[in-house]
């Protein structure tokens, strides 16, 4: 497990009988030269002692949100920034519930909420608790927020029952973390570019033509690429969204600006064109505000097709070029046509006549059309845009590797 070498792991232990396995997990991570800091919730201290955790991790053990000593030495925000990855093992039903609500009533939950790193949860609880509707609803939320799960496993439980809810074994947890760092180091060398949002095409200094794109789909893709280790550039038309600081954000307004920014940020290994670029711009844009008494006839000319230009570039074409197709009718036929006409490797089609998906929704449902694969197309059914993005990025990683 050489990818754990020198990695900073924030290990959070919650109060459950499986906490004893955390000691073995810490020992294993330490043996593979990871640097560990630990947080114990107050109920975790009923199961393992701070002294045993400190001895095994050879690192500081934190537990109190209001400890003057600890907050002066490393406050909870710095603690969440210090880590390369965060693991919560065991994660109890109570912690799952708190994270789903965004409650921060102790150090562990405050650090997790403040973290900008990948967070792994290794749940452990009674099978009925695991299967309870409220836990299932909370889990769905957490997956949507980007938390990753290790386990739980099926088997005999400490309470005497049998079923799903056992915390994964230390070796499995250490293996998953090792794999996370391996993927990160492999993807780190890859560069990604994403276009997102609408463009504004000005009629005069105060009026413009635009569309309903919110940028959500493109921002989720950029977030996911960055989290998985890609060096990510996001070229965005006007949106109300925020980006993580690891992503290089270039804000543009018009299609011409988006085109220039795209060219300036090549070469990349993968480019995803999710922006809803205006197909037309106003030919003779007025330099002054047009008076309402004047008759207004717009003379439009075609914008450059950014995707088409990049995918046909001789020297700068990314290894994988992915376009989106926003269609209202004959979705599959039009998407196939765009795949070929725009020389893409993949076209991701969404039916924007459906009001629940596509433009400005948190959800999407897409069909990926592949050019040079034996699998011609693949449906990613109705899901949050964050989950759709995860699935797209996993397929990109498979293809690049
Ligand atoms: O932003 P959201 O609210 O989250 O909504 C997401 C979305 C619906 C905008 C997104 O999923 C989507 O479908 N984006 C593409 C929208 C679009 O303009 O599709 P199109 O079929 O008109 O264009 C096809 C492809 O060519 C797209 O990849 C587009 O980025 C690209 N294009 C189009 C015109 C142009 N001048 N330059 C381009 O690069």
């Amino acid at each position: 497990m050489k990818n754990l070498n020198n990695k900073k792991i924030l290990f959070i232990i919650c109060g459950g009988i499986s906490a004893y396995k955390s000691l073995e997990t810490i020992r294993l991570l330490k043996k593979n030269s990871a640097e560990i800091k630990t947080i114990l919730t107050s109920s975790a201290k009923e199961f393992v002692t701070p002294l045993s955790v400190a001895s095994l991790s050879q690192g500081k053990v934190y537990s109190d949100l209001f400890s003057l000593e600890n907050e002066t030495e490393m406050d909870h925000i710095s603690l969440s920034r210090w880590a390369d990855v965060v693991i919560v093992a065991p994660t109890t039903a109570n912690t799952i519930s708190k994270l789903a609500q965004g409650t921060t009533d102790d150090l562990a939950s405050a650090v997790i909420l403040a973290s900008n790193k990948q967070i792994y949860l290794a749940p452990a609880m009674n099978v009925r608790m695991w299967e309870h509707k409220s836990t299932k609803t909370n889990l769905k939320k957490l997956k949507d927020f980007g938390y990753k799960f290790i386990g739980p496993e099926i088997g005999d439980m400490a309470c005497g029952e049998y079923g799903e809810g056992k915390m994964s074994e230390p070796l499995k947890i250490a293996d998953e973390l090792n794999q996370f760092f391996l993927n990160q180091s492999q993807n780190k060398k890859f560069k990604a570019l994403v276009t997102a949002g609408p463009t504004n095409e000005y009629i005069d200094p105060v009026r413009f033509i635009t569309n309903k794109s919110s940028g959500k789909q493109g921002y989720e893709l950029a977030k996911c690429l960055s989290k998985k280790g890609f060096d990510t550039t996001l070229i965005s038309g006007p949106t109300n969204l925020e980006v993580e600081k690891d992503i290089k954000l270039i804000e543009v307004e018009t299609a011409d600006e988006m085109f220039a920014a795209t060219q300036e940020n090549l070469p990349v290994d993968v480019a995803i064109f999710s922006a809803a670029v205006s197909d037309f711009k106003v030919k003779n844009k007025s330099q002054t505000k047009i008076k309402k008494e004047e008759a207004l006839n717009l003379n439009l000319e075609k914008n450059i097709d950014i995707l088409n230009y990049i995918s046909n570039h001789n020297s700068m074409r990314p290894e994988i070029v992915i376009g989106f197709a926003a269609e209202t009718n004959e979705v599959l036929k039009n998407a196939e046509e765009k795949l070929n006409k725009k020389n893409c490797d993949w076209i991701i089609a969404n039916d924007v006549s459906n009001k629940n998906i596509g433009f400005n929704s948190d959800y999407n449902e897409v069909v990926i059309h592949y050019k040079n694969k034996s699998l011609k197309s693949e449906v990613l059914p109705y899901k949050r845009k964050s989950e759709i993005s995860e699935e797209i990025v996993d397929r990109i990683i498979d293809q690049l590797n």
Side-chain angles (χ1 to χ4, degrees), residues 212-217 273-279 304-307 323-327 338 342 350 352 358-360 364 385:
K212 287 185 353 181
S213 170
S214 63
K216 287 177 187 170
Q217 183 65 76
F273 295 86
S274 72
V277 185
S278 173
D279 289 317
I304 182 145
D305 190 311
I306 307 170
L307 164 60
F324 267 76
E327 304 294 340
K338 272 183 191 160
K342 298 204 181 202
N350 36 198
V352 291
F359 283 105
N360 202 21
N364 214 347
K385 282 180 177 167

Side-chain angles (χ1 to χ4, degrees), residues 213-226:
S213 170
S214 63
K216 287 177 187 170
Q217 183 65 76
Y219 275 60
E220 287 298 343
L221 282 162
K223 188 169 153 191
C224 200
L225 285 160
S226 169

